[in-house]
Amino acid sequence: HQLPNAPNMTIYCLYGHGATTERAYFYAADAVTGEGVLHEEFGTPALRIDKRARAQTSNVDIGIVHGEGDGTVPLLSLGYMCADAWRKPLFNPHGVRVVTREFVHNPLAAFKDIRGGAGASDHINILGNHDVTADLLRVVAGNGHDVEDQFNSNIRKYASRIRIP
């Protein structure tokens, strides 16, 4: 969908990255029910994560493919619209200002601060990140015009590979 016709509006995208994040899975037929059988209760294929799938590449472990993100949401899902799509007339025909601020996940050791400290930028603990707080205060104080893009991941490189007609 397109952004609204609100040229005086600004969208601020603030998110963390740099935490290992699940992004895909290897599946196998459930040995109990057998291949091609539907789960009795739900009517869905009886599958399970295939824990035998290991590191053909360094980012696969016990059937789970890991990538970069905030520990919950993959980087592409966090940043694609903000870093790329909403900057194009197809999705932003009225020129709404979009500001993207990325924060590298840089937590303290757990014994120093269980929440990760002022540099944590994972999915939940980003709310305690001092730089995020400073940006939010600038925006709500009416100084959002001072908040500019801050990219430090490869999101723009990844987004440039996505072809939308």
Side-chain angles (χ1 to χ4, degrees):
H1 294 299
Q2 293 179 337
L3 291 178
N5 183 4
N8 294 328
M9 180 175 80
T10 299
I11 294 178
Y12 296 93
C13 303
L14 289 75
Y15 58 87
H17 73 93
T20 301
T21 306
E22 294 180 11
R23 67 175 192 88
Y25 306 91
F26 286 92
Y27 291 100
D30 191 326
V32 175
T33 57
E35 188 171 349
V37 177
L38 296 181
H39 189 279
E40 290 177 19
E41 186 178 348
F42 305 113
T44 57
L47 301 173
R48 61 175 174 73
I49 293 177
D50 186 356
K51 294 181 179 179
R52 296 169 297 172
R54 297 252 177 209
Q56 293 93 352
T57 61
S58 63
N59 65 335
V60 179
D61 189 33
I62 61 168
I64 302 170
V65 180
H66 292 94
E68 185 180 0
D70 71 357
T72 300
V73 181
L75 178 62
L76 194 59
S77 297
L78 289 165
Y80 172 69
M81 294 303 290
C82 301
D84 190 270
W86 283 339
R87 295 169 187 259
K88 295 178 179 176
L90 177 65
F91 294 106
N92 189 357
H94 306 288
V96 172
R97 181 175 177 240
V98 177
V99 176
T100 304
R101 303 276 294 168
E102 295 183 327
F103 301 89
V104 178
H105 182 52
N106 188 21
L108 293 172
F111 70 87
K112 291 184 177 181
D113 186 335
I114 197 164
R115 297 287 309 250
S121 295
D122 61 336
H123 191 72
I124 298 296
N125 296 319
I126 193 169
L127 296 174
N129 183 297
H130 289 189
D131 293 331
V132 172
T133 302
D135 284 348
L136 290 173
L137 289 172
R138 282 184 197 94
V139 172
V140 300
N143 295 313
H145 56 275
D146 292 336
V147 180
E148 298 292 332
D149 285 335
Q150 173 180 287
F151 292 101
N152 41 46
S153 75
N154 289 321
I155 188 61
R156 291 181 291 184
K157 176 180 160 187
Y158 303 151
S160 70
R161 296 178 186 163
I162 297 173
R163 300 286 174 238
I164 295 179

